[in-house]
Amino acid sequence: MTIENASLLSPQMKKSAEQYYKACEVIPGGVTANIKYIAPHPIIMERGSGSKLYDVDGNEYIDYLLCYGALILGHGHTAVFEAISKQMKEAGTTIFGTPHQLETVMAEKLIELYPGIEMVRYTNSGLEATLLAIRTAMAYTGKPKLAKFEGHYHGGYDQVLISVNPDINQAGEAHNPYAVPESKGVPDYYVENTIVLPFNDLEATEQILRTHKDELAAVILEPIQGGFIPAEPEFMKGLRRITKELGIILIFDEVKTGFRLSLGGAQKMYGVTPDITALGKVLGGGFPVGAIGGRREMMMISAPDGGRDILTAGAVSRDEREVLFHSGTYNGHPTVLAAGLATIGTLEEANVMDALFDRTQLLRSELEALYRNYGVAMQTVGKGSIFNIVLTDAPIKNYRDMGKANMQLRKEIDYELLRLGVYIKPLNRYSMSVVHSEEDIARTVAAHESALKCV
C-alpha cells in the first residue's frame, strides 16, 4: 500500500478516518494546525497515559512526538495533575486577571536556571515569545531589520515565516541564502527586511552581518535547528562575539531546547549567553505558554513606566515616554505556571535528567546498531533528550544537508511504525520523556526492525 493512494492508514484506524472526514466539514482541512495533518488522514487520539497514546479505535502507541516535545514528563504525570488541582482549589478560580504570586516564583526560577535571563515577561505560546523578543530588540536598538537562519522555525507569523523550508532552486547560494516566503499572505515588507543566514557557516554569516550591521536589530536562531541539528560550539561562540561587536541583539529561540538539553537550556550547555531568550513547550507542563527573558536594561522598556521607577517617578503620560507595548489577558496564567513549576521541580530531582539522557542515548545507540545490521545508511542526530533519524552517512550541519537524506524511505518506515504502535509524525524528531521505559525502548527497536523488513 503506497502512502499517496491509501484511503486509510490501516483498517484498524477506521474511526480515525471517519472522524477526520467529519471534521473536514466544519474545520478547514480537518485540522486546527497544519502540522497536525498526516496524509491520508491524521490519527484521532482519545486519551494518553505515561508514555502512551490511545486512539479512537483503541490502538495503543508509544508516543515520541509528546506534543512536539512539550510533555517531558509524559501524559498525565501525577506531579502536574496535583499542582493544577491544588492551584485551582486554593485560588477558587481558573484565573485572576491580575498579578499573582506564581508569576514571581516562576520568574525567579528562570533567572536561577538560565544565564541570559535577568527579568521575565510571559506570553501564551512560543510563537508569541519570539515575536516579543524581536519587538524588544527592535525597540531597544531602533533598527528595522531581522536576521534569521535558513531552516529555522520561530512561529507561524509573517516576520519569521521566511526560509523555513525553502525550495533550494529559489533559495540562492548556500553561503548567501535568499529570503523566501514560506506561505501565501506574507507581505513583501518582511521578505525585504529579513536577512537570511547560513547555519553553521561562521565565515559567511560574519560577512553578511557586517554588511548589514547598521540596519540589523537582532539575530534570532534555534541553537539546535529543528530541535535536532546542533550548532557547532565554535559557531555559537563566534556568533556571540560578532553580534556583540556589531551591536546586534542575539536572541536564542529555546522553545524546543529549553529544559531538554539541560535545565538551563542550550545556553547553559554551550556556555554562550544570549541577550534575549524565548521559551515555551516544556515550560508549561502541557499547557499553552511562552516567556522571554533577558538583560534588565533591555527588558525594562516593556515596563508600564517605560523603565522609570514607578514608585518615585509619578504618573507619566503616554506621549512623554516611549514604551514597548506588551499585553495579553492570559499571560502568566496561574494554572499554567503551576503546571510548569511542577514540571521543573520534577526535573530538578536527583538523577532525573541524567536518567532521561541515558535512556535517550540507549534508544539512539540501539537504533543505529539495528540499521547498520540491515545495511541502511542512518545516523541519529540531536542533543539531550531530542534527536532525529536521518537516513544518510553524510554530515548534517544545516537545512541543505538534509537534502542528502533518503526522505522517502524514512517516510515509509514512519508510516509502518504507526501501524506497529510507535507514534511519531512522519519525518519528525523524537522527543523522550522521563517515563519512557527500557521496555518501551525494546518495543520501539523491535518495531523498527519489523518496519525495515516491510519497506
Side-chain angles (χ1 to χ4, degrees):
M1 178 177 68
T2 64
I3 295 167
E4 291 77 10
N5 297 326
S7 59
L8 296 172
L9 285 173
S10 165
Q12 286 73 42
M13 300 173 189
K14 184 178 179 181
K15 288 184 180 178
S16 275
E18 291 171 350
Q19 290 198 18
Y20 169 69
Y21 296 132
K22 183 178 180 181
C24 285
E25 297 176 5
V26 292
I27 300 171
V31 292
T32 55
N34 286 11
I35 61 170
K36 296 180 181 180
Y37 178 72
I38 299 174
H41 64 81
I43 301 171
I44 312 300
M45 296 301 173
E46 189 168 67
R47 64 186 180 92
S49 178
S51 62
K52 310 298 192 302
L53 279 173
Y54 301 86
D55 68 17
V56 292
D57 290 281
N59 299 307
E60 179 187 89
Y61 305 85
I62 303 171
D63 182 17
Y64 290 103
L65 189 68
L66 291 174
C67 193
Y68 293 88
L71 296 173
I72 198 169
L73 302 187
H75 297 275
H77 196 280
T78 302
V80 174
F81 274 30
E82 288 180 350
I84 61 177
S85 177
K86 181 175 184 288
Q87 181 276 318
M88 287 190 288
K89 184 176 180 180
E90 292 182 353
T93 182
T94 54
I95 190 167
F96 301 107
T98 70
H100 59 89
Q101 188 176 6
L102 290 183
E103 294 173 324
T104 302
V105 174
M106 177 64 89
E108 289 172 341
K109 176 57 66 175
L110 295 179
I111 291 166
E112 172 192 332
L113 293 174
Y114 283 79
I117 295 181
E118 295 178 357
M119 300 191 86
V120 174
R121 269 290 181 107
Y122 300 107
T123 65
N124 294 294
S125 68
L127 178 158
E128 290 181 31
T130 61
L131 188 156
L132 179 59
I134 293 166
R135 182 184 296 171
T136 300
M138 289 184 169
Y140 186 77
T141 63
K143 299 179 190 178
K145 292 191 177 182
L146 173 73
K148 72 174 295 289
F149 287 88
E150 186 177 65
H152 290 215
Y153 177 75
H154 305 292
Y157 57 99
D158 294 347
Q159 197 168 15
V160 291
L161 209 54
I162 304 289
S163 295
V164 181
N165 296 288
D167 182 338
I168 296 303
N169 294 321
Q170 301 175 12
E173 298 296 327
H175 66 277
N176 190 21
Y178 295 159
V180 180
E182 195 72 17
S183 170
K184 289 184 176 181
V186 175
D188 290 343
Y189 173 86
Y190 291 109
V191 178
E192 295 163 0
N193 285 278
T194 302
I195 307 300
V196 180
L197 304 169
F199 189 53
N200 275 328
D201 184 343
L202 185 61
E203 182 178 354
T205 293
E206 179 173 5
Q207 183 175 342
I208 295 169
L209 292 180
R210 290 192 182 280
T211 299
H212 296 277
K213 67 181 190 307
D214 294 331
E215 53 190 353
L216 276 175
V219 173
I220 187 170
L221 83 157
E222 297 181 293
I224 310 290
Q225 178 186 313
F228 68 96
I229 303 178
E232 296 176 336
E234 290 309 310
F235 176 81
M236 290 286 272
K237 293 175 183 176
L239 182 64
R240 174 67 285 187
R241 171 182 54 79
I242 295 161
T243 52
K244 187 172 290 187
E245 176 194 336
L246 299 180
I248 300 170
I249 303 303
L250 180 59
I251 302 170
F252 277 12
D253 177 354
E254 295 231 43
V255 171
K256 296 185 182 78
T257 54
F259 305 101
R260 282 205 161 272
L261 308 186
S262 74
L263 286 171
Q267 59 195 261
K268 194 69 175 284
M269 186 191 78
Y270 280 102
V272 174
T273 303
D275 298 301
I276 302 176
T277 301
L279 294 170
K281 293 193 185 294
V282 170
L283 182 65
F287 287 88
V289 74
I292 78 162
R295 301 206 317 264
R296 175 176 293 270
E297 69 272 18
M298 202 171 294
M299 295 293 295
M300 280 300 290
I301 62 175
S302 64
D305 68 329
R308 300 187 186 192
D309 182 349
I310 60 174
L311 298 178
T312 60
V316 183
S317 63
R318 183 171 296 276
D319 59 2
E320 291 179 318
R321 54 181 166 78
E322 293 184 1
V323 177
L324 180 149
F325 181 79
H326 169 234
S327 195
T329 302
Y330 296 100
N331 292 351
H333 194 294
T335 307
V336 176
L337 295 187
L341 286 165
T343 300
I344 296 170
T346 301
L347 296 176
E348 288 181 313
E349 293 175 3
N351 300 319
V352 169
M353 291 290 280
D354 288 341
L356 173 60
F357 296 154
D358 287 346
R359 284 194 295 277
T360 304
Q361 190 55 52
L362 175 63
L363 178 57
R364 292 178 62 173
S365 298
E366 294 205 2
L367 288 174
E368 288 178 345
L370 173 69
Y371 279 70
R372 189 164 54 247
N373 288 341
Y374 276 80
V376 178
M378 176 273 217
Q379 57 186 303
T380 61
V381 181
K383 291 282 187 183
S385 60
I386 44 179
F387 69 92
N388 210 345
I389 292 172
V390 184
L391 300 184
T392 178
D393 288 330
I396 301 296
K397 295 184 177 181
N398 52 47
Y399 170 75
R400 298 195 186 208
D401 285 346
M402 287 297 291
K404 303 169 186 174
N406 189 336
M407 295 295 191
Q408 182 59 32
L409 177 58
R410 168 70 197 275
K411 187 182 290 187
E412 291 173 4
I413 290 169
D414 287 348
Y415 272 83
E416 190 62 30
L417 289 172
L418 290 174
R419 287 186 281 271
L420 292 168
V422 174
Y423 191 83
I424 186 71
K425 183 184 175 185
L427 302 180
N428 217 275
R429 65 188 179 276
Y430 282 58
S431 295
M432 295 287 286
S433 76
V434 300
V435 294
H436 277 108
S437 65
E438 292 190 8
E439 179 186 352
D440 290 331
I441 292 171
R443 283 178 55 189
T444 301
V445 174
H448 273 266
E449 182 165 19
S450 296
L452 284 170
K453 291 177 179 177
C454 292
V455 297

